[in-house]
Amino acid sequence: HLTVANEDYLECMVRIEREDGETEGVRSVDIAQRLGVSKASVNKAVTALKASDLVEQSHYGKVMLTDRGREVGQAVWSRHRLLRTFLVQELGVEFDRADAEACMMEHALSEDTMNRWLAYLEKQGISVED
């Protein structure tokens, strides 16, 4: 079982890959900057994620998601977007607040509940924002 922080690191790496078009790994400094943490915190998290076979990193090199790490990170990012979309579209919550609150909520719901919620929203014609 991953910690909330480790899920956030994987999600962050997936987002950097997608938004910046990174295909050769993500720099620790970019992760630190996006999450507002120290590079030492990133290094500690990367060590834990390597031990779980979720990332790989050569000595002081870029951090590469493994297939499993990417899968977990994409699942967290998908939950985030689903929650944010619901808060904005259905409840009228301002985007930045919805984004911050979705980040907190994404870790609290089981995958089964999230999948059921996504299916419900899709039936209602609500699409998830990127």
Side-chain angles (χ1 to χ4, degrees):
H1 183 69
L2 290 174
T3 65
V4 168
N6 284 343
E7 285 185 352
D8 282 341
Y9 282 102
L10 293 172
E11 176 188 13
C12 180
M13 287 183 261
V14 164
R15 291 179 74 172
I16 290 171
E17 283 184 347
R18 291 182 76 181
E19 294 166 11
D20 298 349
E22 290 295 338
T23 58
E24 301 296 321
V26 178
R27 297 181 321 153
S28 294
V29 67
D30 293 334
I31 298 167
Q33 187 175 41
R34 288 263 184 128
L35 293 177
V37 299
S38 69
K39 195 163 178 251
S41 293
V42 174
N43 291 336
K44 182 177 178 184
V46 166
T47 298
L49 294 170
K50 282 195 304 191
S52 298
D53 294 321
L54 296 168
V55 301
E56 297 172 346
Q57 182 185 34
S58 59
H59 193 63
Y60 295 110
K62 289 185 175 183
V63 182
M64 298 283 296
L65 289 162
T66 63
D67 289 341
R68 177 72 181 132
R70 185 170 289 102
E71 180 182 310
V72 172
Q74 287 173 336
V76 175
W77 178 225
S78 178
R79 289 194 305 262
H80 182 108
R81 292 186 345 257
L82 167 66
L83 291 162
R84 183 182 66 200
T85 298
F86 177 77
L87 293 171
V88 170
Q89 289 184 8
E90 297 300 305
L91 302 182
V93 176
E94 181 267 325
F95 183 88
D96 288 339
R97 190 170 105 204
D99 193 53
E101 291 177 354
C103 189
M104 292 183 281
M105 294 168 62
E106 69 195 22
H107 306 286
L109 300 174
S110 70
E111 187 173 340
D112 179 60
T113 299
M114 289 303 300
N115 289 337
R116 290 170 188 255
W117 197 358
L118 180 57
Y120 171 79
L121 293 178
E122 287 173 346
K123 283 183 185 176
Q124 303 304 312
I126 298 169
S127 63
V128 176
E129 299 173 356
D130 255 334

